[in-house]
Amino acid sequence: ADAGPPADPRVYAFYYAWYQNPSFDDRWAHWNHEHLKHWDASVQRRYPDFVHDPTSGDVGASFFPRLGAYSSRDPAVVDDHFRQLRAARAGVVVVSWYPPGKRDPNGPEVDALVRGLLDAATRHGLEVCLHLEPWE
């Protein structure tokens, strides 16, 4: 486990392992999702429909990731993320999860990533819990 300040088991951090990029996965996922529509149609009419474009620095967030538009399947990225979580004294990583064969409409199945996430958590002295995402 990482040296440094102890992890605090009262600090939980959500972790979404559904990002993909062409260099690692041969496609974009979640970085390039459609702009989310406003719930009020009268407000929505003032905004154009578009898809976020990570190649131009638009990932639909106020800040661009220090690691770039990474792939959640890249073990080096997961290891760096978990190192950062431990340095922030998080104790539990809450992984957004769908059961095998299920996924959201914008990204890949994530169940196959769980073993690697558990291994990374062990290396960094973190616990993991699964947040069950809704599915049909």
Side-chain angles (χ1 to χ4, degrees):
D2 286 347
D8 187 337
R10 299 169 299 170
V11 178
Y12 286 59
F14 266 81
Y15 191 77
Y16 295 92
W18 54 26
Y19 294 99
Q20 292 185 326
N21 68 30
S23 63
F24 203 88
D25 306 288
D26 297 322
R27 62 172 261 166
W28 288 110
H30 273 280
W31 297 116
N32 64 333
H33 63 81
E34 290 182 0
H35 181 256
L36 300 176
K37 296 185 184 316
H38 196 279
W39 59 88
D40 183 330
S42 65
V43 173
Q44 175 57 36
R45 282 193 285 275
R46 294 183 287 188
Y47 297 96
D49 290 333
F50 66 92
V51 173
H52 294 283
D53 179 11
T55 62
S56 66
D58 172 18
V59 293
S62 298
F63 301 99
F64 195 79
R66 180 180 58 83
L67 298 177
Y70 56 81
S71 169
S72 299
R73 296 180 186 277
D74 183 342
V77 166
V78 172
D79 200 61
D80 195 15
H81 285 163
F82 281 38
R83 180 193 57 74
Q84 291 177 55
L85 287 165
R86 177 57 194 268
R89 298 197 58 201
V92 182
V93 181
V94 183
V95 176
S96 176
W97 180 79
Y98 290 88
K102 304 294 182 184
R103 63 184 187 85
D104 75 43
N106 297 307
E109 292 183 25
V110 296
D111 186 63
L113 300 177
V114 172
R115 171 57 53 203
L117 297 173
L118 290 169
D119 291 344
T122 298
R123 284 193 302 276
H124 293 282
L126 299 166
E127 300 292 327
V128 171
C129 78
L130 300 178
H131 172 253
L132 300 170
E133 291 286 354
W135 73 89
E136 295 179 3

